[in-house]
Amino acid sequence: VRDTAQALGKEVQLELRGEETELDKTILEKITDPLVHLVRNAVDHGIEKPEVRSAQGKNPTGLIILGAHHKSGRLIIEICDDGAGLNPETIRKKAVEKGLIGEQQKLTPQECYQLIFAPGFSTKEVVTDVSGRGVGMDVVRTNITELNGEISIESEVGKGATFRISLPLTLAIIDAMIVLSGPHKFVIPVNHVYETLRVDSKSVSQSSDLGDVLLLRGELVPIYRLADFFGIDSKPSEKEVSAIINRSGKRPFALVVDEIIGQSQVVIKQLSPELQGIKGVSGVTILGDGKPSLILEPPELVKRKLNKNKPLFMEVA
């Protein structure tokens, strides 16, 4: 970023997010070149000159964010900039000039964005040492495809662009919380754990819209039982259970388990092909007792809406 910005007379700040994200070394080696291309392009094509940004009411110093995180059993890498963004019409005109599409052919903005991955495509009028050589973006998609990955683009003219790479996790180590539901142990990544607490029946009430809800410091939080998602016959022996509060989505919720065993680092292994379509299950790991445990994505589980509204608390004789 520094070298490219100096060569182009631009001011750019780089922000890194998710540096603790771990992944397999083979993926890391193959993803380096695509990331270099994408970051360089963000500086060259995305970020405007300081005087242009000032005239538009922007901070003269552009911002590029390089982030990585795990989601639903995949590694997500994002390269975001607050520059000029991608103009679908400009891309379309260039594609017509190069004979990639017909002049009358109509494309959606997303279809226009995909044209930049065509071999030899460039919107640069002048070839420089940095870009405009018509190489790079096609190599990016080729390398990502070889890793069984995908790349998508979000952009708004004048606001910036985000290139999002999604890769399968062949091997990764994550910090996770191990919980018990009935006789089964499950693993929940700590990035889905905002806080944990013990909940008694006095804290739970019924809502006509949300079902069981937890009154948490004046906030009504919907409750879901982990056992309900997997049809587990869970009968806690006490009137008090453990709840994991998730705030990673638009709406917080509480996931109730019988017991929180503890926190540990686990190695993610991919599910076999016939099981990979299960929503809310991102992988599997082998725990210290030698038994496999599913790694869960609570927000995806909740989307399945498999809560059968079983009573949360069992009456104790």
Side-chain angles (χ1 to χ4, degrees):
V1 170
R2 181 185 64 248
D3 294 346
T4 307
Q6 287 180 348
L8 297 170
K10 297 180 179 181
E11 297 175 8
V12 186
Q13 177 186 348
L14 175 67
E15 184 177 319
L16 300 177
R17 296 178 181 176
E19 299 100 317
E20 72 284 353
T21 306
E22 297 186 23
L23 69 155
D24 190 69
K25 185 181 178 183
T26 55
I27 293 181
L28 189 62
E29 290 172 347
K30 291 183 180 179
I31 203 66
T32 301
D33 287 343
L35 287 180
V36 169
H37 282 300
L38 289 171
V39 171
R40 185 181 285 138
N41 277 359
V43 178
D44 187 17
H45 293 268
I47 304 297
E48 310 94 331
K49 295 266 189 179
E51 58 271 19
V52 175
R53 292 179 63 87
S54 297
Q56 295 174 348
K58 290 182 175 182
N59 186 330
T61 301
L63 175 65
I64 292 177
I65 300 173
L66 177 61
H69 63 275
H70 295 143
K71 182 180 180 182
S72 299
R74 296 181 76 83
L75 171 72
I76 309 297
I77 301 175
E78 294 179 333
I79 301 94
C80 312
D81 68 74
D82 66 347
L86 294 172
N87 188 320
E89 191 55 35
T90 301
I91 295 171
R92 184 185 172 283
K93 287 179 179 177
K94 260 306 180 195
V96 171
E97 287 177 19
K98 291 182 173 292
L100 297 174
I101 59 172
E103 193 166 349
Q104 304 302 321
Q105 192 172 342
K106 293 184 178 180
L107 299 175
T108 65
Q110 277 298 329
E111 289 171 334
C112 288
Y113 297 155
Q114 292 302 314
L115 290 171
I116 69 173
F117 295 110
F121 185 88
S122 177
T123 56
K124 278 284 185 179
E125 298 295 339
V126 180
V127 175
T128 67
D129 290 337
V130 176
S131 64
R133 296 161 295 172
V135 297
M137 294 307 287
D138 58 324
V139 175
V140 166
R141 186 160 68 175
T142 300
N143 285 18
I144 292 170
T145 302
E146 286 176 356
L147 291 169
N148 295 319
E150 301 169 353
I151 182 167
S152 60
I153 303 171
E154 293 177 10
S155 180
E156 188 175 347
V157 177
K159 297 289 182 67
T162 297
F163 288 78
R164 185 172 293 109
I165 300 169
S166 173
L167 297 167
L169 284 175
T170 55
L171 184 66
I173 299 173
I174 60 168
D175 289 313
M177 187 165 285
I178 302 169
V179 302
L180 192 68
S181 182
H184 304 286
K185 292 178 182 178
F186 293 91
V187 175
I188 298 176
V190 293
N191 62 311
H192 288 305
V193 180
Y194 181 80
E195 63 178 310
T196 62
L197 63 156
R198 298 290 289 175
V199 179
D200 58 32
S201 55
K202 296 177 183 177
S203 308
V204 177
S205 58
Q206 289 283 329
S207 167
S208 57
D209 298 328
L210 303 174
D212 282 338
V213 292
L214 171 67
L215 184 60
L216 180 63
R217 297 186 287 274
E219 180 182 17
L220 288 178
V221 179
I223 287 178
Y224 300 90
R225 296 176 74 250
L226 179 57
D228 291 343
F229 292 111
F230 295 95
I232 298 171
D233 186 16
S234 172
K235 295 181 179 179
S237 59
E238 303 175 7
K239 289 188 177 181
E240 196 176 59
V241 294
S242 297
I244 296 171
I245 307 301
N246 180 288
R247 294 183 182 273
S248 58
K250 293 182 180 178
R251 180 155 201 162
F253 63 87
L255 187 67
V256 170
V257 298
D258 296 350
E259 183 185 346
I260 295 175
I261 296 175
Q263 190 171 326
S264 177
Q265 283 195 326
V266 300
V267 176
I268 298 178
K269 296 179 181 295
Q270 283 189 305
L271 292 166
S272 58
E274 61 270 19
L275 296 177
Q276 286 181 3
I278 300 177
K279 201 174 183 68
V281 179
S282 60
V284 69
T285 190
I286 306 296
L287 296 179
D289 58 7
K291 296 179 180 179
S293 291
L294 296 177
I295 300 172
L296 307 179
E297 297 286 332
E300 297 297 322
L301 281 177
V302 170
K303 286 179 184 178
R304 287 169 53 181
K305 296 181 180 178
L306 293 181
N307 185 13
K308 298 177 182 177
N309 295 320
K310 294 181 182 177
L312 179 61
F313 293 94
M314 309 296 295
E315 289 298 329
V316 180

